[in-house]
Amino acid sequence: MAGPRLVRRLNIEGDGQGDLAGHGGEQRAVMVYQLDSYRYWQEQLGRDDFVMGQFGENFTVDGLPDDEVCIGDRYRIGGAVFEVTQPRVTCYRVGLRMQEPRMAALLVSHGRPGFYFRVLTEGTVQAGDEIVRLGTGPETMTVAEIDALLYLPGHPKDQVERALRIEALSPGWKGSFEALLESAQSAAGGGNVGLTAAAASPAPAWTGFQRLRVSRVQAESDTVSSYTLQTLDGAALPAALAGQFITLRLPREDADGPLIRTYSLSGAPGSADYRISVKREPRGAASGWLHHHAIAGLELEVAAPRGVFTLAEGPGPVVLVSAGVGITPVLAMLHRLAALQTQRRVWWLHGARNSDDVLFAGEVRDLLGTLSDARVRVCFSRPLPTDRIGEDYTDAGRLSADLIRTLDLPSDATAYVCGPAAFMDDMVQVLTDSGLDAARVRTEAFGAAAGMTPGVVAGGSERAPHLPDRQGDGPVRATVSFSRSGLTVPWRADGPTLLELAEACDVPVRWSCRTGVCHNCETATLSGTVVYSPEPVEEPAPGNVLLCCSRPRTDVVLDL
Ligand SMILES: Cc1cc2nc3c(=O)[nH]c(=O)nc-3n(C[C@H](O)[C@H](O)[C@H](O)COP(=O)(O)OP(=O)(O)OC[C@H]3O[C@@H](n4cnc5c(N)ncnc54)[C@H](O)[C@@H]3O)c2cc1C
Ligand code: FES
């Protein structure tokens, strides 16, 4: 742009960012890229068609190389003062702009990401202004170093600690390094927890599906039954974390392929068997089948416990919030807290219709009775004439935001919420409004998790998951099952990546770089193996795949 421009705290006048979810904001007000990198990529990619702003930057600069500029460096340019906050966000947009899909991965692997400024003093800047360094960031960690520390394998602990000492580093990157540090201390199962929570789960106890036997069936209400599963030889099953789920592949198919469904474990974590509790849905294929066919002695195919909706152990208060059959994962957490004889303050908040409908009332009462500091609110929306307030329930009406507001929950609490989608939305809102840190309000959806498609289709598709509209004509090489969406689709020779296939089926997915760098698309694989092309910059955690750069090698079942 010709002439002086006013640089404000959030962006440059007349030169805003395209995708404000992934870019922009105070920490990413101005994106900087270097002329020297233009020359480098022209040579590397054999191109001579670059134009100014090719790399999506706001400032194209002569000098300031990524391997010299440090996070926290301060510069005066024209009338404004800037501070370096973080490297570029790896996003597919740079690949689109460059017509080079691998570009996001190349910027990282070649150590030339570019970086962001925050604006310390607003002022005007114009082409030709001198860049004057006012100070060097503490720890003198360069942009290239810090980018490699997050994205490339290794993450040495002393370097992560060094990065965390840089005050100017953006909160988003600090959060990633904190997660890496925590996982180094807990020796988590691999993958990059700095980039995705999907890597925070330990490696699954077995791969694929294993046959387990139903040892007990227990009716919990008119519509919910519990099924206890044990190994065929009676050996103890591997311990699951409180809040994890298992996945069943039932011995029948429906129009959408094999019946694969996921159920949270409702029993005590660490017991020798697994208990699930299944609500019979009207016309529900899997729940209906289980309610009709599952009797003691029946063998079922079961994938190992997975999931990251798990109870974090530590000293802080815990709020367990559920409605209806959403009680299952938080009941497992309550079992765990009781087994630990926790001294933590625990809130048990549950909503049901009435005493015919409420689940595990006796079990919950017994567990809460063992805790030293437990507070209970059980809300009945339609109490029976025989239901006694103070005995069967504490409050008439729904478990609502208004009730939560009266509880005066401490802001250092961690909340775990499970129930219908609208209920969870309300609870998340009121819990964060009550002062809980959003990162400590955790939810489990009994269906597909929300998608994330940066800057492409606001709100995603309205269509329910379906078979792809165009199937192609190559021979079928494998099937891909999306377990949360209850859909199995054929994958044909030379077919799309798993990410593209999911998109063609309107299965909600999360992604950003689409080329194996950012790990936003990391997903648990319940069974099967994949082939990568291109190879990811860092491998996902064991038992997970990166959807954007993989295709099935065998039939694959994904936790999507
Ligand atoms: C992480 C996770 C944990 C879970 N934990 C539990 C748990 O602990 N307990 C539990 O009960 N569930 C749990 N679920 C949900 C479970 O996986 C299944 O989605 C649920 O059992 C319904 O499956 P289904 O095959 O019976 O219903 P589906 O056949 O998949 O049908 C889904 C819904 O559509 C409706 N439907 C089906 N056919 C029609 C039609 N022709 N017309 C109109 N409506 C129709 C059904 O009534 C049902 O409500 C969990 C899910 C996830 C992802
Ligand atoms: S979308 Fe970035 S790794 Fe797949």
Side-chain angles (χ1 to χ4, degrees):
M1 268 187 255
R5 292 279 153 175
L6 181 59
V7 181
R8 297 186 190 278
R9 266 197 196 285
L10 290 180
N11 58 25
I12 303 169
E13 202 179 36
D15 191 15
Q17 296 90 358
D19 162 25
L20 288 174
H23 308 272
E26 211 159 298
Q27 308 297 327
R28 297 180 296 214
V30 179
M31 168 76 212
V32 181
Y33 208 58
Q34 306 89 346
L35 277 175
D36 186 46
S37 286
Y38 272 67
R39 291 188 277 272
Y40 177 86
W41 292 119
Q42 265 161 354
E43 197 163 302
Q44 283 285 320
L45 304 173
R47 300 257 300 257
D48 60 3
D49 57 343
F50 292 171
V51 293
M52 278 297 146
Q54 180 79 35
F55 293 82
E57 71 276 16
N58 307 104
F59 285 177
T60 312
V61 296
D62 203 0
L64 300 188
D66 288 338
D67 58 359
E68 284 180 20
V69 168
C70 297
I71 305 295
D73 278 3
R74 291 180 175 195
Y75 297 92
R76 166 168 294 119
I77 310 176
V81 177
F82 302 93
E83 185 174 56
V84 180
T85 54
Q86 64 165 79
R88 170 197 296 270
V89 175
T90 53
C91 169
Y92 79 107
R93 279 169 177 266
V94 68
L96 278 188
R97 229 174 225 278
M98 303 284 298
Q99 294 172 326
E100 170 49 82
R102 296 168 307 151
M103 203 61 217
L106 293 174
L107 292 171
V108 172
S109 56
H110 289 237
R112 289 176 179 271
F115 55 86
Y116 284 100
F117 278 147
R118 79 162 63 85
V119 180
L120 297 181
T121 308
E122 298 185 343
T124 52
V125 175
Q126 64 179 319
D129 278 346
E130 198 188 345
I131 303 174
V132 182
R133 182 151 74 192
L134 302 178
T136 304
E139 303 293 332
T140 57
M141 271 189 110
T142 67
V143 168
E145 251 181 298
I146 217 147
D147 200 53
L149 184 61
L150 180 61
Y151 287 113
L152 301 185
H155 324 292
K157 185 165 167 269
D158 58 330
Q159 296 304 306
V160 172
E161 283 168 341
R162 210 177 130 208
L164 281 169
R165 286 196 290 269
I166 307 174
E167 207 174 308
L169 185 67
S170 71
W173 278 62
K174 276 200 187 129
S176 294
F177 286 125
E178 274 157 11
L180 281 171
L181 196 61
E182 247 171 60
S183 84
Q185 275 147 7
S186 68
N192 191 330
V193 294
L195 296 176
T196 173
S201 173
W206 66 86
T207 51
F209 289 86
Q210 182 189 149
R211 293 190 85 76
L212 298 181
R213 183 177 291 126
V214 176
S215 60
R216 183 160 189 258
V217 179
Q218 165 81 38
E220 309 291 355
S221 71
D222 280 356
T223 54
V224 175
S225 287
S226 290
Y227 305 92
T228 305
L229 304 166
Q230 59 172 210
T231 54
L232 300 188
D233 61 5
L237 279 160
L241 298 177
Q244 286 194 308
F245 56 78
I246 57 172
T247 304
L248 310 185
R249 182 163 61 195
L250 300 179
R252 63 148 282 196
E253 302 216 344
D254 69 359
D256 294 327
L259 270 187
I260 299 171
R261 296 289 188 275
T262 292
Y263 295 97
S264 298
L265 295 171
S266 60
S271 57
D273 41 30
Y274 295 157
R275 181 181 72 179
I276 56 171
S277 307
V278 179
K279 179 175 179 201
R280 192 179 64 240
E281 299 289 351
R283 295 187 296 273
S287 58
W289 190 92
L290 282 166
H291 277 255
H292 277 106
H293 296 90
I295 51 168
L298 178 77
E299 289 180 20
L300 292 172
E301 289 185 300
V302 181
R306 283 177 173 76
V308 292
F309 181 72
T310 52
L311 180 71
E313 297 193 357
V318 184
V319 186
L320 302 175
V321 190
S322 60
V325 75
I327 193 173
T328 50
V330 291
L331 177 58
M333 294 180 189
L334 184 60
H335 269 284
R336 176 72 185 154
L337 290 163
L340 290 171
Q341 297 185 312
T342 190
Q343 300 299 308
R344 299 167 80 173
R345 239 181 310 162
V346 176
W347 274 261
W348 177 263
L349 311 176
H350 181 68
R353 240 171 302 175
N354 49 47
S355 57
D356 277 354
D357 180 60
V358 73
L359 299 169
F360 304 106
E363 189 170 320
V364 167
R365 201 174 303 123
D366 291 349
L367 291 167
L368 289 169
T370 68
L371 300 183
S372 59
D373 192 355
R375 292 134 205 241
V376 186
R377 301 302 279 264
V378 173
C379 303
F380 280 0
S381 57
R382 273 184 265 154
L384 301 172
T386 48
D387 287 340
R388 295 151 303 170
I389 197 153
E391 301 240 347
D392 301 305
Y393 65 113
T394 59
D395 298 84
R398 286 177 187 280
L399 174 52
S400 64
D402 285 344
L403 184 134
I404 304 281
R405 269 186 216 105
T406 65
L407 298 178
D408 225 2
L409 295 170
S411 59
D412 61 338
T414 306
Y416 300 88
V417 186
C418 188
F423 167 82
M424 289 204 292
D425 289 348
D426 282 358
M427 291 297 121
V428 169
Q429 186 67 50
V430 65
L431 288 165
T432 48
D433 288 352
S434 308
L436 273 69
D437 183 345
R440 285 210 304 266
V441 178
R442 313 276 315 283
T443 57
E444 181 76 306
F446 275 7
M452 186 189 80
T453 56
V456 179
V457 198
S461 167
E462 294 295 310
R463 248 176 114 182
H466 54 88
L467 287 169
D469 294 332
R470 276 178 295 137
Q471 296 266 356
D473 8 83
V476 175
R477 290 270 191 260
T479 60
V480 178
S481 301
F482 301 105
S483 68
R484 286 177 184 243
S485 302
L487 183 68
T488 295
V489 298
W491 184 87
R492 293 170 192 276
D494 299 322
T497 62
L498 290 174
L499 177 60
E500 290 160 343
L501 184 65
E503 288 172 328
C505 302
D506 281 304
V507 168
V509 276
R510 302 171 60 79
W511 53 266
S512 174
C513 74
R514 302 184 74 96
T515 181
V517 190
C518 71
H519 287 229
N520 277 317
C521 66
E522 187 164 334
T523 299
T525 335
L526 304 171
S527 72
T529 55
V530 301
V531 189
Y532 283 111
S533 176
E535 281 295 322
V537 171
E538 178 170 17
E539 288 276 319
N544 290 353
V545 286
L546 297 184
L547 303 173
C548 67
C549 49
S550 62
R551 292 174 168 79
R553 187 199 301 274
T554 62
D555 290 352
V556 181
V557 182
L558 298 169
D559 179 32
L560 269 183

